[in-house]
Amino acid sequence: MEITDIRIRKVAADGKLKAYVTVTFDDCFVVHNVKVIEGKNGAFIAMPSRKTKTGEYKDVAHPINSDFRGMLQSRILDEYKKIEFEPDEESILEGDAPQQSKDVE
């Protein structure tokens, strides 16, 4: 599976959330709302998730092996680093962030 497009929307607010990412695979499958998070040990990605009725968050889509997850994270973070200090042309305010699905089992 090849990553054919990565689109990054920086978040224009203070906090750990730095960007939302849309990733396209093989020009035929897209995953929206991957998040770039700044952690204690550097940036990492968080896969799109939804909140269950019990208040727990579950990934909607995610890699099933560590090799692919590592490759995906590397590609996304490499692209994020390229735009990290560019003007905020495509930035979104944190309140305008894509919404997660409401309580689903």
Side-chain angles (χ1 to χ4, degrees), residues 19 30 45 66 68 74 76 79 81 103:
V30 67
I45 63 167
S66 59
F68 188 77
S74 291
I76 290 172
E79 291 299 316
K81 288 173 188 170
D103 299 311

Side-chain angles (χ1 to χ4, degrees), residues 7 9 14 58 66-67 76 83 93 97:
R7 296 178 188 239
R9 296 175 321 275
D14 291 333
K58 294 282 189 179
S66 59
D67 289 340
I76 290 172
I83 66 146
L93 297 174

Side-chain angles (χ1 to χ4, degrees), residues 11-19 36-39 43 80 84 94:
V11 174
D14 291 333
K16 294 179 180 184
L17 177 62
K18 299 300 178 188
V36 175
I37 309 285
E38 187 63 46
Y80 174 72
E84 187 174 12
E94 199 162 14

